[in-house]
Amino acid sequence: NLRSILDVLAGDSPVPVPELPTHLARILRPYQKEGFSFLYRTTERGFGACLADDMGLGKTLQAIAWLDTLRRQGKLETVPALIVAPASLLGNWKEEAERFAPELVLRIMHPSAPDSWQPSPTRMDTPCHAVITTYGMAVRTPALADLHFPAIVLDEAQAVKNASSARSRAIRALHGERRIALSGTPVENTLNEIWSLMEFLNPGLLGNKKSFEKFTRSLERGYAPLRLLIRPFILRRMKTDPALLPDLPDKTEIPAYCQLTPEQAALYHHQIETLHAMLDEPDPAKRLMLVLPVLARLKQICNHPAQFQGTDDYLPERSGKFLRLQELCSSIAARQEKAILFTQFRSVIPHLHDLLSRVFGRPGLTLHGGTPIPERQNIVSSFQKESGPPFCILSLKAAGTGLTLTQASHVIHVDRWWNPAVESQATDRAYRIGQHRNVLVHRLICRGTIEDRIDAMLTEKRRMADDLFSGGPEQWLMNMSPEELKKLLCQS
């Protein structure tokens, strides 16, 4: 009955939660296991659940553990689960699923995918356990509404906060036996956003929109009645929660995967074609001199086509990395937190500043080799004020040492410097004595590119990475054979 269900949701009645596989049980932290249990316990009782953990606490991993449990129970065999996420997170989900739940087969439904999944009410496409698509594709694919999904996951669920938008209406029209939402910012501006989220998770719980607005206007003495109503369906943990502090590392590194746009991919592959003849040069020194300029151009293309072309047309839509950065910083801005960003290219700094000024709603700071020494301390002092600018963009070489920027709780490496010691020195501008926050380190990595493969090498050789790469790219490229170079640079 309803009373026993509410007791279950409130945690007053024990509910058997399946054991996690050994590898996941070993990886998940206690609070993440609690989050997994919350998702399972709530959805198996027929209710939708919102995991509203702060950024960096592993919402995606907890959702993957939940989906993998449904897979092991045979609930994703006939029709797959549906994951709806921003376009920039498609690669991130696929990577995390392959890493943490390799038996959970996840496919992408998007024109950019080589083998895009297609919905069909009569015949299932190539079998898989979960399909991930974008909010835009969900709106443009009415056939999704003809399927009854065993589970639906909304990532960055604040995307449906506007209840009257076509996006929100399309998402609410989807049929899902189990529904969960992931959002570090379930309410950004108004209480109507809570109504929109709950109308997806638990339709009718808060009445219709008009009656909900009337109800909230009557709450003269605070929102306690509303909190009591929605509390069983939302789990919110913050990095600052005392209960979590012993469980969290001081510094968490999070890869932020990006997809090349079609324009970037075409430019990138053209450069790769020019490499093949160069790599056959037998003299290692000559080969290095030929390869290094191409390596720099590949990195520029990964950042933005305009940087490679030397133009000022830095529209975010032209670059998967700029779109991912825009999304990442939107979440940081919504939390009113600060970020420092590092790039090795001074020329891209003004364009990054323009992008982030729009995202944060006010300008930030920049520091590079051309910044006068006396001005640098003024920049640091300004940033270190609590009310100071929300972000600071720095060139890696000019700002890798000597600066203290502990007001930042996010460090973003826009492009990769292959010497991990140099990146660590830059990260330590925020992660150092005087830092009282947990620091999140985001590394933007374009999938299927040199950035992706170098990151894999660094991960694989973590213990020896400092020695291996301490001389910079010249050192390790010089020591590679032509065959090794082809595998590193040309493998698609």
Side-chain angles (χ1 to χ4, degrees):
N1 59 26
L2 180 61
R3 180 70 261 167
S4 64
I5 290 174
L6 291 175
D7 286 344
V8 166
L9 292 172
D12 299 329
S13 176
V15 176
V17 176
E19 288 189 11
L20 290 164
T22 305
H23 69 285
L24 276 177
R26 190 170 58 246
I27 292 169
L28 265 64
R29 298 176 180 275
Y31 75 87
Q32 292 172 328
K33 292 176 182 176
E34 179 190 345
F36 156 73
S37 297
F38 161 74
L39 294 176
Y40 185 86
R41 188 176 63 239
T42 307
T43 55
E44 290 307 304
R45 292 303 181 273
F47 293 95
C50 176
L51 188 58
D53 284 349
D54 213 349
M55 180 192 288
L57 295 184
K59 294 186 291 294
T60 305
L61 174 56
Q62 293 170 72
I64 286 172
W66 175 68
L67 287 171
D68 192 55
T69 297
L70 298 182
R71 176 195 65 79
R72 288 184 290 114
Q73 293 178 334
K75 294 173 180 174
L76 307 181
E77 295 302 320
T78 307
V79 179
L82 178 68
I83 305 163
V84 188
S88 58
L89 296 184
L90 297 184
N92 189 69
W93 266 92
K94 192 152 178 49
E95 169 77 17
E96 296 253 312
E98 290 170 355
R99 179 181 174 190
F100 296 114
E103 294 181 55
L104 181 73
V105 180
L106 188 153
R107 291 187 59 200
I108 294 174
M109 188 186 91
H110 195 267
S112 65
D115 183 25
S116 178
W117 184 85
Q118 297 298 323
S120 169
T122 57
R123 176 187 61 81
M124 279 298 99
D125 201 340
T126 305
C128 60
H129 302 113
V131 169
I132 184 166
T133 192
T134 65
Y135 285 96
M137 285 295 294
V139 173
R140 297 191 298 272
T141 314
L144 290 176
D146 296 331
L147 296 174
H148 190 89
F149 294 100
I152 299 177
V153 179
L154 297 190
D155 194 8
E156 299 293 347
Q158 63 273 14
V160 297
K161 65 184 179 183
N162 182 357
S164 59
S165 69
R167 171 188 291 177
S168 189
R169 291 197 304 270
I171 295 300
R172 293 202 303 273
L174 298 173
H175 304 289
E177 187 175 341
R178 302 165 184 82
R179 297 181 173 214
I180 71 170
L182 311 177
S183 176
T185 52
V187 180
E188 292 181 322
N189 297 302
T190 71
L191 288 177
N192 284 337
E193 296 169 11
I194 278 287
W195 183 87
S196 184
L197 182 64
M198 280 296 155
E199 190 64 10
F200 164 75
L201 292 173
N202 299 298
L205 177 73
L206 300 180
N208 62 39
K209 194 165 181 284
K210 189 174 180 180
S211 65
F212 176 74
E213 289 172 347
K214 183 179 179 181
F215 167 66
T216 55
R217 284 196 298 270
S218 70
L219 299 175
E220 297 176 357
R221 298 185 179 181
Y223 299 117
L226 178 60
R227 278 199 300 271
L228 285 172
L229 190 57
I230 65 175
R231 187 170 61 187
F233 313 106
I234 299 181
L235 182 61
R236 172 74 164 156
R237 278 90 57 92
M238 308 281 285
K239 293 194 295 288
T240 52
D241 289 350
L244 263 62
L245 291 179
D247 207 34
L248 290 175
D250 295 328
K251 179 174 67 172
T252 304
E253 300 192 1
I254 308 172
Y257 295 108
C258 321
Q259 299 292 335
L260 295 180
T261 63
E263 180 187 7
Q264 283 176 294
L267 292 170
Y268 191 93
H269 289 303
H270 178 72
Q271 288 297 314
I272 290 296
E273 289 300 314
T274 68
L275 265 176
H276 285 284
M278 299 178 186
L279 296 180
D280 290 329
E281 166 59 52
D283 186 320
K286 288 182 181 178
R287 188 169 63 235
L288 178 66
M289 296 305 294
L290 293 169
V291 167
L292 283 177
V294 180
L295 187 63
R297 291 196 289 271
L298 292 175
K299 293 171 77 172
Q300 289 174 341
I301 292 168
C302 288
N303 278 356
H304 200 290
Q307 185 184 353
F308 167 71
Q309 294 163 344
T311 68
D312 288 328
D313 183 15
Y314 275 81
L315 284 174
E317 294 77 16
R318 298 180 66 198
S319 164
K321 188 172 283 190
F322 268 52
L323 288 174
R324 183 73 178 94
L325 182 61
Q326 184 173 262
E327 206 149 66
L328 175 60
C329 287
S330 293
S331 295
I332 295 170
R335 292 166 174 79
Q336 297 185 321
E337 295 175 341
K338 291 192 177 191
I340 56 175
L341 298 89
F342 290 97
T343 174
Q344 70 181 92
F345 299 104
R346 177 175 166 179
S347 63
V348 81
I349 290 178
H351 306 288
L352 290 170
H353 184 269
D354 290 345
L355 174 73
L356 297 189
S357 294
R358 292 192 295 271
V359 171
F360 283 92
R362 57 190 179 118
L365 299 163
T366 63
L367 192 155
H368 49 72
T371 306
I373 299 298
E375 192 179 323
R376 296 187 184 201
Q377 190 51 51
N378 293 335
I379 289 172
V380 171
S381 299
S382 177
F383 186 80
Q384 286 293 88
K385 293 176 183 174
E386 198 156 331
S387 60
F391 67 91
C392 185
I393 307 170
L394 311 103
S395 67
L396 196 64
K397 285 189 174 180
T401 58
L403 301 178
T404 296
L405 299 166
T406 51
Q407 275 291 321
S409 49
H410 297 267
V411 177
I412 302 173
H413 291 282
V414 176
D415 38 62
R416 302 301 305 273
W417 187 259
W418 310 135
N419 183 342
V422 174
E423 283 193 350
S424 295
Q425 283 180 345
T427 298
D428 287 347
R429 298 317 94 221
Y431 180 63
R432 61 189 300 140
I433 294 172
Q435 177 59 272
H436 304 295
R437 303 168 181 82
N438 289 307
V439 175
L440 297 183
V441 184
H442 312 267
R443 291 186 170 89
L444 298 182
I445 303 165
C446 286
R447 301 313 310 264
T449 71
I450 180 69
E451 292 186 329
D452 202 4
R453 286 185 279 278
I454 294 294
D455 184 71
M457 286 177 63
L458 287 169
T459 302
E460 182 184 346
K461 304 175 186 294
R462 181 68 63 189
R463 292 180 182 176
M464 55 184 291
D466 284 341
D467 292 335
L468 182 66
F469 296 101
S470 60
E474 295 86 352
Q475 183 69 40
W476 48 266
L477 286 173
M478 175 78 84
N479 293 325
M480 281 186 169
S481 69
E483 290 71 28
E484 290 171 323
L485 281 168
K486 284 178 182 176
K487 186 177 179 182
L488 174 71
L489 299 171
C490 302
Q491 188 181 43
S492 58

Coordinates of all heavy atoms in Angstrom, one line a residue, residues 260-309:
L260 N 35.0 15.6 -32.5 CA 35.3 16.6 -33.6 C 34.1 16.8 -34.4 O 33.3 15.9 -34.6 CB 36.4 16.0 -34.5 CG 37.8 15.7 -33.9 CD1 38.7 15.2 -35.0 CD2 38.4 17.0 -33.4
T261 N 33.9 18.1 -34.8 CA 32.8 18.4 -35.7 C 33.2 17.9 -37.1 O 34.4 17.6 -37.3 CB 32.6 19.9 -35.8 OG1 33.8 20.5 -36.3 CG2 32.2 20.5 -34.4
P262 N 32.3 17.7 -38.0 CA 32.6 17.3 -39.4 C 33.7 18.1 -40.0 O 34.6 17.6 -40.7 CB 31.3 17.4 -40.1 CG 30.3 17.2 -39.1 CD 30.8 17.8 -37.9
E263 N 33.7 19.5 -39.8 CA 34.7 20.3 -40.3 C 36.1 20.0 -39.7 O 37.1 19.9 -40.4 CB 34.4 21.8 -40.1 CG 35.4 22.8 -40.6 CD 35.1 24.2 -40.2 OE1 34.2 24.5 -39.4 OE2 35.8 25.1 -40.7
Q264 N 36.1 19.8 -38.4 CA 37.4 19.5 -37.7 C 37.9 18.1 -38.2 O 39.1 18.0 -38.5 CB 37.2 19.4 -36.2 CG 37.1 20.8 -35.5 CD 36.8 20.6 -34.0 OE1 35.7 20.1 -33.7 NE2 37.8 21.0 -33.2
A265 N 37.0 17.2 -38.4 CA 37.4 15.8 -38.8 C 38.0 15.9 -40.2 O 39.0 15.2 -40.4 CB 36.2 14.9 -38.7
A266 N 37.4 16.7 -41.1 CA 38.0 16.7 -42.4 C 39.4 17.4 -42.4 O 40.3 16.9 -43.1 CB 37.0 17.5 -43.3
L267 N 39.5 18.4 -41.7 CA 40.9 19.1 -41.6 C 41.9 18.2 -41.0 O 43.0 18.1 -41.4 CB 40.7 20.4 -40.8 CG 39.9 21.5 -41.4 CD1 39.7 22.6 -40.3 CD2 40.7 22.1 -42.6
Y268 N 41.5 17.4 -39.9 CA 42.4 16.5 -39.2 C 42.8 15.4 -40.1 O 44.0 15.1 -40.2 CB 41.6 16.0 -38.0 CG 42.5 15.2 -37.0 CD1 43.1 15.9 -35.9 CD2 42.8 13.9 -37.2 CE1 43.9 15.2 -35.0 CE2 43.6 13.2 -36.3 CZ 44.2 13.9 -35.2 OH 45.0 13.2 -34.4
H269 N 41.9 14.8 -40.8 CA 42.3 13.7 -41.7 C 43.2 14.1 -42.9 O 44.1 13.4 -43.3 CB 41.1 13.0 -42.2 CG 40.4 12.2 -41.1 ND1 41.0 11.2 -40.4 CD2 39.1 12.2 -40.7 CE1 40.1 10.7 -39.5 NE2 39.0 11.3 -39.6
H270 N 43.0 15.4 -43.3 CA 43.9 15.9 -44.4 C 45.3 16.0 -43.9 O 46.2 15.6 -44.6 CB 43.3 17.2 -44.9 CG 44.2 17.9 -45.9 ND1 44.3 17.4 -47.2 CD2 45.1 18.9 -45.8 CE1 45.2 18.1 -47.9 NE2 45.7 19.1 -47.1
Q271 N 45.5 16.5 -42.7 CA 46.8 16.6 -42.1 C 47.4 15.2 -41.9 O 48.6 15.0 -42.1 CB 46.7 17.3 -40.7 CG 46.5 18.8 -40.9 CD 47.6 19.5 -41.6 OE1 48.8 19.3 -41.4 NE2 47.2 20.4 -42.6
I272 N 46.6 14.2 -41.5 CA 47.1 12.9 -41.3 C 47.6 12.3 -42.6 O 48.7 11.6 -42.6 CB 46.0 12.0 -40.7 CG1 45.7 12.3 -39.2 CG2 46.4 10.5 -40.8 CD1 46.8 12.1 -38.3
E273 N 47.0 12.6 -43.7 CA 47.4 12.1 -45.0 C 48.8 12.7 -45.3 O 49.6 12.0 -45.9 CB 46.4 12.6 -46.1 CG 45.1 11.8 -46.0 CD 45.2 10.3 -46.2 OE1 46.0 9.9 -47.1 OE2 44.6 9.6 -45.4
T274 N 49.1 13.9 -44.9 CA 50.4 14.5 -45.2 C 51.5 13.8 -44.4 O 52.7 13.9 -44.7 CB 50.4 16.0 -45.0 OG1 50.3 16.2 -43.6 CG2 49.3 16.7 -45.7
L275 N 51.1 13.1 -43.3 CA 52.1 12.6 -42.4 C 52.7 11.3 -43.0 O 53.9 11.0 -42.7 CB 51.5 12.2 -41.1 CG 51.6 13.3 -39.9 CD1 50.8 12.8 -38.7 CD2 53.0 13.5 -39.6
H276 N 52.0 10.5 -43.7 CA 52.4 9.2 -44.1 C 53.8 9.2 -44.7 O 54.7 8.4 -44.4 CB 51.4 8.5 -45.0 CG 50.2 8.1 -44.3 ND1 50.1 6.9 -43.5 CD2 48.9 8.6 -44.2 CE1 48.9 6.8 -43.0 NE2 48.2 7.8 -43.4
A277 N 54.0 10.1 -45.7 CA 55.3 10.1 -46.4 C 56.4 10.5 -45.4 O 57.6 10.0 -45.5 CB 55.2 11.0 -47.6
M278 N 56.1 11.5 -44.6 CA 57.1 12.0 -43.6 C 57.6 10.9 -42.7 O 58.8 10.8 -42.3 CB 56.5 13.1 -42.8 CG 56.1 14.3 -43.6 SD 55.3 15.5 -42.4 CE 54.7 16.7 -43.6
L279 N 56.7 10.0 -42.3 CA 57.1 9.0 -41.3 C 58.0 7.9 -41.9 O 58.6 7.1 -41.1 CB 55.8 8.3 -40.7 CG 54.9 9.2 -40.0 CD1 53.7 8.5 -39.5 CD2 55.6 9.9 -38.8
D280 N 58.1 7.9 -43.2 CA 59.1 6.9 -43.8 C 60.5 7.4 -43.9 O 61.4 6.7 -44.3 CB 58.6 6.6 -45.2 CG 57.3 5.7 -45.2 OD1 57.1 5.0 -44.2 OD2 56.5 5.9 -46.1
E281 N 60.7 8.7 -43.5 CA 62.1 9.3 -43.4 C 62.9 8.4 -42.4 O 62.6 8.3 -41.2 CB 62.0 10.7 -43.0 CG 63.3 11.3 -42.5 CD 64.3 11.3 -43.6 OE1 64.0 11.8 -44.8 OE2 65.5 10.8 -43.4
P282 N 64.0 7.8 -42.9 CA 64.8 7.0 -42.0 C 65.6 7.7 -40.9 O 65.8 7.1 -39.9 CB 65.8 6.3 -43.0 CG 65.9 7.2 -44.2 CD 64.6 7.9 -44.3
D283 N 66.0 8.9 -41.1 CA 66.8 9.7 -40.1 C 65.8 10.2 -39.0 O 65.0 11.0 -39.3 CB 67.5 10.8 -40.8 CG 68.4 11.6 -39.9 OD1 68.1 11.8 -38.7 OD2 69.5 12.0 -40.3
P284 N 66.0 9.7 -37.8 CA 65.1 10.2 -36.7 C 65.1 11.7 -36.5 O 64.0 12.2 -36.3 CB 65.7 9.4 -35.5 CG 66.5 8.3 -36.0 CD 67.0 8.7 -37.3
A285 N 66.2 12.3 -36.6 CA 66.3 13.8 -36.4 C 65.5 14.5 -37.5 O 64.7 15.4 -37.2 CB 67.7 14.3 -36.4
K286 N 65.7 14.1 -38.8 CA 64.9 14.7 -39.9 C 63.4 14.4 -39.7 O 62.6 15.3 -40.0 CB 65.5 14.2 -41.2 CG 66.8 14.8 -41.6 CD 67.2 14.3 -43.0 CE 68.6 14.8 -43.4 NZ 69.1 14.3 -44.7
R287 N 63.1 13.2 -39.4 CA 61.7 12.8 -39.2 C 61.1 13.7 -38.1 O 59.9 14.1 -38.3 CB 61.7 11.3 -38.8 CG 60.3 10.7 -38.8 CD 60.3 9.2 -38.7 NE 60.8 8.8 -37.5 CZ 61.9 7.9 -37.4 NH1 62.4 7.4 -38.5 NH2 62.3 7.6 -36.2
L288 N 61.8 13.9 -37.1 CA 61.2 14.7 -36.0 C 60.9 16.1 -36.5 O 59.9 16.7 -36.2 CB 62.2 14.8 -34.8 CG 61.8 15.6 -33.6 CD1 60.6 15.0 -32.9 CD2 63.0 15.7 -32.6
M289 N 61.8 16.7 -37.2 CA 61.6 18.1 -37.7 C 60.4 18.2 -38.7 O 59.8 19.2 -38.8 CB 62.9 18.6 -38.4 CG 64.1 18.7 -37.5 SD 63.8 19.7 -36.1 CE 63.6 21.3 -36.9
L290 N 60.2 17.1 -39.4 CA 59.0 17.1 -40.3 C 57.7 16.9 -39.5 O 56.6 17.5 -39.8 CB 59.1 15.9 -41.3 CG 60.3 16.1 -42.3 CD1 60.4 14.7 -43.1 CD2 60.0 17.2 -43.3
V291 N 57.7 16.0 -38.4 CA 56.5 15.7 -37.7 C 56.0 16.7 -36.8 O 54.8 17.0 -36.6 CB 56.8 14.3 -36.9 CG1 55.7 14.1 -35.9 CG2 56.9 13.2 -37.9
L292 N 57.0 17.4 -36.1 CA 56.6 18.4 -35.0 C 55.6 19.5 -35.5 O 54.6 19.7 -34.8 CB 57.8 19.0 -34.4 CG 58.5 18.1 -33.4 CD1 59.8 18.9 -32.9 CD2 57.6 17.8 -32.2
P293 N 55.8 20.1 -36.7 CA 54.9 21.1 -37.1 C 53.5 20.5 -37.4 O 52.4 21.2 -37.1 CB 55.5 21.6 -38.4 CG 56.9 21.3 -38.3 CD 57.0 20.0 -37.6
V294 N 53.4 19.3 -37.9 CA 52.1 18.6 -38.2 C 51.4 18.3 -36.8 O 50.2 18.5 -36.7 CB 52.3 17.3 -39.0 CG1 50.9 16.7 -39.2 CG2 53.0 17.6 -40.3
L295 N 52.2 17.9 -35.8 CA 51.7 17.6 -34.5 C 51.0 18.9 -33.9 O 49.9 18.8 -33.4 CB 52.8 17.1 -33.6 CG 52.4 16.7 -32.2 CD1 51.5 15.4 -32.3 CD2 53.6 16.3 -31.4
A296 N 51.7 20.0 -34.1 CA 51.1 21.3 -33.6 C 49.8 21.6 -34.3 O 48.9 22.1 -33.7 CB 52.1 22.4 -33.8
R297 N 49.8 21.4 -35.7 CA 48.6 21.7 -36.4 C 47.4 20.8 -36.0 O 46.3 21.2 -35.9 CB 48.9 21.5 -37.9 CG 49.8 22.6 -38.5 CD 49.8 22.7 -40.0 NE 50.4 21.6 -40.7 CZ 51.7 21.5 -41.0 NH1 52.5 22.5 -40.7 NH2 52.2 20.5 -41.6
L298 N 47.7 19.5 -35.7 CA 46.7 18.6 -35.3 C 46.1 19.1 -33.9 O 44.8 19.1 -33.8 CB 47.2 17.2 -35.1 CG 47.7 16.5 -36.3 CD1 48.3 15.1 -36.0 CD2 46.5 16.3 -37.3
K299 N 46.9 19.6 -33.1 CA 46.4 20.1 -31.8 C 45.6 21.4 -32.0 O 44.6 21.6 -31.3 CB 47.6 20.4 -30.8 CG 48.3 19.1 -30.4 CD 49.6 19.4 -29.7 CE 49.3 19.8 -28.2 NZ 50.6 19.9 -27.4
Q300 N 46.0 22.2 -32.9 CA 45.2 23.4 -33.2 C 43.8 23.1 -33.8 O 42.8 23.7 -33.4 CB 46.0 24.3 -34.2 CG 47.2 24.9 -33.7 CD 48.0 25.7 -34.7 OE1 47.8 25.4 -35.9 NE2 48.9 26.6 -34.3
I301 N 43.8 22.1 -34.7 CA 42.5 21.7 -35.2 C 41.6 21.1 -34.1 O 40.4 21.4 -34.1 CB 42.7 20.6 -36.3 CG1 43.4 21.2 -37.5 CG2 41.4 19.9 -36.7 CD1 44.0 20.2 -38.6
C302 N 42.2 20.4 -33.2 CA 41.4 19.8 -32.1 C 40.8 21.0 -31.2 O 39.6 20.8 -30.7 CB 42.2 18.9 -31.2 SG 42.6 17.3 -31.9
N303 N 41.5 22.1 -31.1 CA 41.0 23.2 -30.4 C 39.8 23.9 -31.1 O 38.7 24.0 -30.6 CB 42.1 24.2 -30.1 CG 42.9 23.9 -28.9 OD1 42.6 22.9 -28.2 ND2 44.0 24.6 -28.7
H304 N 40.1 24.4 -32.3 CA 39.1 25.1 -33.1 C 39.7 25.2 -34.6 O 40.8 25.6 -34.8 CB 38.8 26.4 -32.5 CG 37.5 27.0 -33.0 ND1 37.3 27.4 -34.3 CD2 36.3 27.2 -32.4 CE1 36.1 27.9 -34.4 NE2 35.4 27.7 -33.3
P305 N 38.8 25.0 -35.6 CA 39.3 25.2 -37.0 C 39.9 26.6 -37.2 O 40.8 26.7 -38.0 CB 38.0 25.0 -37.8 CG 37.2 24.1 -37.0 CD 37.5 24.5 -35.5
A306 N 39.3 27.6 -36.6 CA 39.8 29.0 -36.8 C 41.2 29.2 -36.3 O 42.0 30.0 -36.9 CB 38.8 30.0 -36.1
Q307 N 41.6 28.4 -35.3 CA 43.0 28.6 -34.8 C 43.9 28.0 -35.8 O 45.0 28.6 -36.1 CB 43.1 27.8 -33.5 CG 44.5 28.0 -32.9 CD 44.7 27.2 -31.6 OE1 43.8 26.6 -31.1 NE2 46.0 27.2 -31.1
F308 N 43.6 26.9 -36.4 CA 44.4 26.3 -37.5 C 44.4 27.2 -38.7 O 45.5 27.4 -39.4 CB 43.9 24.9 -37.8 CG 44.4 24.3 -39.1 CD1 45.7 23.9 -39.2 CD2 43.6 24.2 -40.2 CE1 46.2 23.3 -40.3 CE2 44.1 23.7 -41.4 CZ 45.4 23.2 -41.5
Q309 N 43.3 27.8 -39.1 CA 43.2 28.6 -40.3 C 43.7 30.0 -40.1 O 43.9 30.7 -41.1 CB 41.7 28.6 -40.7 CG 41.2 27.2 -41.2 CD 39.7 27.2 -41.3 OE1 39.0 28.0 -40.7 NE2 39.2 26.2 -42.0

